Amino acid sequence: MPKMDVKQRKTVLAQASFYRKDRKRTTGNRGFRKDLGHSVRSKLEARFARLLKMQRIKYEYEWPIELKITWSIDFCYIENIEGDPTPRLRYAEVKGHLDQASMKRLRLLKEQRPDIFECLILVTTSKGHGRNWGKIVARLKRLGLKDEQIMDLG
């Protein structure tokens, strides 16, 4: 490889796809997890899948739903509660960071599929939100989620 000065190197890096500023940056580790037997999009999703697996709960990953937008809920599983003879269908959306687009999707879900929204568990982490955690929880409650629907994996 020929020697380049600093200006040439910056130009080449700026043109490279992995360095482009307009490209969305991803967080977490995407990829196949041997212990789960499928790919996940983040460490947080892998942690939640392992939690379900430890409790021997079978789940479906990336469950497609029909809204005005294309979206698939991260997990769909059946919850059996002790003393309750009827199992309940649950949906879990795992979010490391709740941005405006995520809140918009949750509002759309509430408006168009209230049957899914009332069975939704939002899995997130207070670590990712820092001091804004209280505000985030307040926004989710204003949206209509109850305390038992918000899970903090810290």
Side-chain angles (χ1 to χ4, degrees):
M1 189 165 151
K3 283 198 161 206
M4 292 186 259
D5 64 6
V6 175
K7 189 175 180 181
Q8 287 174 320
R9 194 173 316 137
K10 284 184 178 179
T11 304
V12 169
L13 284 174
Q15 293 170 349
S17 63
F18 64 88
Y19 191 77
R20 287 184 24 213
K21 297 207 187 288
D22 61 335
R23 186 176 155 226
K24 288 186 179 179
R25 297 182 188 271
T26 58
T27 57
N29 291 334
R30 293 179 178 208
F32 185 79
R33 309 295 167 117
K34 289 181 184 176
D35 61 330
L36 300 174
H38 61 83
S39 294
V40 292
R41 294 179 186 222
S42 69
K43 290 179 189 177
L44 197 58
E45 285 184 3
R47 284 174 58 195
F48 186 71
R50 288 183 187 109
L51 183 73
L52 292 175
K53 194 172 181 177
M54 273 184 359
Q55 296 176 5
R56 296 178 192 213
I57 297 174
K58 292 182 181 178
Y59 62 88
E60 290 286 329
Y61 182 68
E62 293 289 323
W63 189 265
I65 56 169
E66 291 182 26
L67 295 174
K68 286 182 181 176
I69 57 173
T70 304
W71 189 28
S72 59
I73 290 185
D74 294 327
F75 294 91
C76 175
Y77 61 96
I78 295 174
E79 182 180 58
N80 291 313
I81 299 174
E82 270 187 52
D84 189 0
T86 56
R88 294 188 296 177
L89 191 60
R90 283 283 191 197
Y91 302 92
E93 181 62 24
V94 179
K95 288 286 176 197
H97 181 73
L98 285 163
D99 54 3
Q100 292 294 332
S102 301
M103 294 300 283
K104 183 179 178 180
R105 275 190 230 117
L106 288 171
R107 273 193 294 279
L108 272 174
L109 182 66
K110 182 181 178 182
E111 291 168 7
Q112 296 175 18
R113 296 295 304 269
D115 57 322
I116 291 178
F117 187 80
E118 70 183 27
C119 299
L120 180 73
I121 293 178
L122 185 76
V123 181
T124 187
T125 174
S126 55
K127 198 185 294 183
H129 297 290
R131 290 180 290 172
N132 294 329
W133 179 244
K135 292 177 185 176
I136 296 290
V137 171
R139 284 174 59 198
L140 291 170
K141 286 183 179 179
R142 278 196 306 271
L143 188 62
L145 288 174
K146 302 175 192 117
D147 281 332
E148 59 269 10
Q149 288 180 281
I150 303 170
M151 180 187 280
D152 179 15
L153 284 183

